[in-house]
Each structure stands twice: as C-alpha cells, then as structure tokens.
Amino acid sequence: MRAPIGSFDNALPAVDRLDLLPPSVAEAIRGWHDGLSADPPLHVDTDPGIADTAAFVAHHGADLLERSVNCVVVAGKRGGESTLAACVVPSRTRVDVNGVVRRQLGARKASFAPMETATGETGMEYGGITPIGLPGSWPLLVDSAVVDLPWVLIGSGLRRGKLIVPGKALAALPGAVILDGLGV
C-alpha cells in the first residue's frame, strides 16, 4: 500500500500490524473507528537505528520534516503535586515547556519528564512515544499547526516503526487540548 506522505512502500493499516505496537497503542488502534477519523492509521515498519527525526528525514527524505511531529512527555509541578502530560508539536519546533506548557498545566515549574518516567508511565520506548494510547487521564497538548496538516508522521510507541494519521485525528484523542504556539 502506498502511504499518503513520504515514499514508503511498506505502509499497511496499523490494525494489521498490532504485533508491532505496544499494548496500549494496539488497544487504541483497535478502537480507532470510534469517532476519531474515517481514515485509519497506517503503520510503516522502519529501522530503529534511524528513529530520531534528523536521521529519519535524512534517510527517507527532507520533505517529511514538514509532516513529521514529535510527542514528548512533560511534568508540571505545583505545591508538591506533579502532573504528567504529553505535548505534540511539529518536529521542526521545540516544546515551549516554560511558557505555554507551564501555564496550561497551572504549574509553578514544568520540565521534560525523565526518560524512566516517560517510558514507565506510557509503556512505550523513548524516541517512539506517540499520543495514541497514552493514559486517558493525561492532558494531551497539541500544537494547532499539527491539526492543520492533512497527514502526519509520528512514533508508533516503539522505535521500530512510525504511524501515519490525519492531523485532525490527534485533536480527537482523549484529553486533547489544541494550543497555538506550543511548538516554537
């Protein structure tokens, strides 16, 4: 199957590749038809050695940088309480942790979550975290530029693979809040 973005020739419906996804992502993919998008997610099996954005676009084409998005886990702290959230931004930007994220979470301090926390709480691999299948109680902060893209390339939960989904579908995920300027 030909992917709607990139030059991938091995894109298949993600529902046919649940064995290549972490359990929480596979469960979310199984339930995708429940109002998220008429277009089902696609899975592209990729080399885990080039999962990071710069290496990935160098190998698969610079045009993917404009369609690639990153999902990072952040922690907001206030009065001894910590809140975990996920942020989805275009790959060519960085998350405004100390501005937009801190204000949105009502936190005194916000920072990127430690790798052990991010992977332990999501059940996903570092460098492959995806908003699909995150804990439903988490805020999911999505940059408005991501929602405007017809299709985006994002992690699959594992470094070995990417998902291709409509940008607008990320706005329909549990806990999603669309924010201008999240990626700067």
Side-chain angles (χ1 to χ4, degrees):
M1 165 182 259
R2 183 103 174 117
I5 59 174
S7 58
F8 306 107
D9 56 2
N10 64 344
L12 290 174
V15 72
D16 294 340
R17 290 199 165 158
L18 298 177
D19 59 319
L20 296 178
L21 302 171
S24 64
V25 178
E27 182 179 331
I29 294 295
R30 274 190 216 96
W32 188 264
H33 65 279
D34 295 338
L36 285 177
S37 172
D39 297 304
L42 299 175
H43 179 272
V44 180
D45 194 12
T46 60
D47 177 357
I50 59 168
D52 295 327
T53 302
F56 194 84
V57 300
H59 183 80
H60 288 287
D63 62 311
L64 287 175
L65 187 58
E66 297 303 314
R67 295 170 182 85
S68 201
V69 299
N70 289 331
C71 180
V72 297
V73 178
V74 297
K77 296 178 184 172
R78 182 176 196 87
E81 294 291 319
S82 184
T83 300
L84 293 175
C87 300
V88 180
V89 298
S91 293
R92 67 185 186 293
T93 67
R94 59 182 174 77
V95 177
D96 183 6
V97 175
N98 292 311
V100 175
V101 172
R102 185 181 55 76
R103 286 190 298 274
Q104 182 66 33
L105 297 179
R108 182 174 301 280
K109 180 182 177 188
S111 59
F112 293 104
M115 180 172 54
E116 299 77 26
T117 301
T119 57
E121 295 292 325
T122 64
M124 300 179 199
E125 292 179 353
Y126 198 74
I129 293 176
T130 183
I132 300 167
L134 287 173
S137 61
W138 284 19
L140 174 60
L141 312 181
V142 182
D143 190 285
S144 59
V146 171
V147 178
D148 293 339
L149 293 170
W151 292 93
V152 299
L153 182 77
I154 195 159
S156 68
L158 300 176
R159 290 182 62 85
R160 177 197 170 176
K162 301 285 185 184
L163 296 175
I164 299 173
V165 300
K168 66 182 178 210
L170 299 181
L173 290 172
V177 177
I178 310 310
L179 299 169
D180 292 329
L182 179 61
V184 293

